[in-house]
Amino acid sequence: MLSLVTIFGLLGNITTGLVYLAPVKTFWHIVRCGSTEEFDCLPYVAKLLNGYMWVYYGVVKPNSVLVATVNGFGALLELVYVIIFLIFAPPRIRAITAVLFGALDVVFPIAAVLITQMFCTREMQINIAGFLSLLFSVITYGSPLAIMKTVVTTKSVEYMPFLLSFILFINGLTWTVYAILTRDWFIGIPNGSGFVFGTAQLVLYAMYWKPKQSKTTFDHVVEDGCQSGPLLDKNESRAEA
């Protein structure tokens, strides 16, 4: 029989996979329009780094293959997203994205792996990889916080899709239970935070939901828990396009 750890690990793979797939609609729109418009590259660069760190953690820690597999899938998707962003971004934004990608998604993870492999014991490798994964995961929760602030300010859930909020809630709950069963607080702390934020989003949705009165343009749709935002001001972006 499958153990509870395996069951919740597999459920976590499914929910995390859905979270990683959330931006597909956004990038299909970018490809069709041939422009990144006002979407920000930073969430995808950061999530690619986060995926790398979780893969490394899943590899160095025994019996954590389920952590490595789903984040390997996620890192591959995030890499595709960043490449699409590099292809379709205006010159100035493309340069910024390339610098961020090179520093955060190439130099840093390679340096982290090489240094820990050469100079650290296996236990220290697990602790460093776990701490970095925890840190970057917590940082990525800045996007849901920004969206929640927008909902409270506008008293509208227009920018916070219910399905994504529900998936984030289930994903946080699933991995929190997994962390409790395995006593892995590197997984438990960020996903416990995700469960709390997901719960808060659902509460806000219940408080501020109202029937749609007009169709929202794509530019204002929130995907992947990240609200679109410019790296440059609109005038500068127009000048470069």
Side-chain angles (χ1 to χ4, degrees):
M1 292 180 65
L2 292 176
S3 67
L4 282 176
V5 171
T6 303
I7 291 171
F8 276 93
L10 291 172
L11 288 174
N13 270 241
I14 294 170
T15 56
T16 302
L18 292 174
V19 173
Y20 276 124
L21 285 168
V24 167
K25 183 178 178 181
T26 297
F27 283 89
W28 177 242
H29 171 79
I30 288 173
V31 171
R32 290 184 63 185
C33 293
S35 171
T36 57
E37 299 178 346
E38 294 186 355
F39 289 102
D40 192 341
C41 71
L42 188 56
Y44 309 105
V45 171
K47 287 182 180 181
L48 176 55
L49 173 59
N50 191 41
Y52 284 160
M53 291 296 99
W54 280 117
V55 169
Y56 184 44
Y57 179 72
V59 169
V60 296
K61 184 178 180 181
N63 304 316
S64 297
V65 64
L66 291 175
V67 176
T69 52
V70 68
N71 286 288
F73 167 74
L76 181 61
L77 279 179
E78 296 295 340
L79 180 59
V80 172
Y81 298 153
V82 173
I83 290 173
I84 291 173
F85 209 99
L86 286 168
I87 293 172
F88 293 102
R92 178 75 180 280
I93 298 179
R94 184 183 300 124
I96 295 173
T97 304
V99 170
L100 290 172
F101 173 73
L104 298 179
D105 296 332
V106 179
V107 175
F108 182 85
I110 290 176
V113 170
L114 289 178
I115 291 171
T116 54
Q117 286 294 316
M118 290 190 295
F119 302 109
C120 300
T121 63
R122 177 52 63 96
E123 188 66 27
M124 190 174 292
Q125 290 171 11
I126 294 172
N127 289 334
I128 292 174
F131 174 76
L132 290 174
S133 300
L134 183 159
L135 177 64
F136 296 135
S137 292
V138 170
I139 290 174
T140 60
Y141 288 128
S143 293
L145 282 174
I147 294 167
M148 290 163 65
K149 179 181 177 182
T150 300
V151 170
V152 173
T153 301
T154 62
K155 293 182 170 44
S156 170
V157 295
E158 181 181 11
Y159 308 133
M160 189 175 70
F162 172 79
L163 183 58
L164 181 58
S165 297
F166 182 71
I167 292 173
L168 291 173
F169 166 78
I170 295 297
N171 186 60
L173 175 61
T174 302
W175 283 112
T176 299
V177 174
Y178 176 90
I180 293 172
L181 293 173
T182 59
R183 298 182 181 180
D184 189 329
W185 306 118
F186 290 126
I187 294 176
I189 291 174
N191 285 286
S193 301
F195 171 65
V196 171
F197 288 136
T199 302
Q201 287 187 6
L202 292 179
V203 171
L204 288 177
Y205 203 95
M207 291 173 60
Y208 293 111
W209 179 85
K210 59 187 69 172
K212 290 184 178 180
Q213 296 179 349
S214 61
K215 188 176 180 180
T216 305
T217 61
F218 190 92
D219 289 345
H220 296 112
V221 172
V222 176
E223 297 286 352
D224 188 34
C226 303
Q227 189 172 6
S228 64
L231 284 175
L232 306 172
D233 64 65
K234 292 184 178 180
N235 293 330
E236 190 174 355
S237 297
R238 269 195 219 102
E240 292 175 350

